[in-house]
């Protein structure tokens, strides 16, 4: 398989992975700054769970009209 075909499929996956990890790191840092007393409890699992909950709420229409 030519390298340009591999790149054509791998580049979007790479971009999605980098973008997602950058967003998770930024959100985690902001949450730790907002709540320094709970900084040890705020991990990537907590952030991912909160994000999944927000996507579920958005999908259910909870944010309409905001």
């Amino acid at each position: 398989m030519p390298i340009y075909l591999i790149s054509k499929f791998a580049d979007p996956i790479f971009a999605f992975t980098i973008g997602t990890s950058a967003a998770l790191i930024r959100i985690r840092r902001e949450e730790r700054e907002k709540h320094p007393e709970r900084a040890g409890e705020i991990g990537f699992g907590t952030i991912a769970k909160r994000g999944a909950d927000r996507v579920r709420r958005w999908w259910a229409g909870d944010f309409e009209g905001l």
Side-chain angles (χ1 to χ4, degrees):
M1 180 178 266
I3 192 73
Y4 67 88
L5 287 179
I6 295 171
S7 178
K8 188 175 183 177
F9 293 107
D11 283 350
I13 294 169
F14 177 76
F16 177 78
T17 303
I18 293 298
T20 302
S21 63
L24 286 172
I25 290 169
R26 181 183 53 81
I27 293 167
R28 182 176 165 217
R29 183 181 61 237
E30 289 174 357
E31 287 296 314
R32 285 182 171 194
E33 288 173 359
K34 278 190 217 173
H35 309 286
E37 68 281 354
R38 297 183 337 170
E41 300 171 12
I42 300 172
F44 291 114
T46 305
I47 300 301
K49 181 181 177 296
R50 185 172 295 165
D53 290 343
R54 288 182 183 175
V55 168
R56 267 190 232 102
R57 288 178 55 203
W58 171 78
W59 190 259
D62 289 351
F63 295 119
E64 286 188 25
L66 294 180

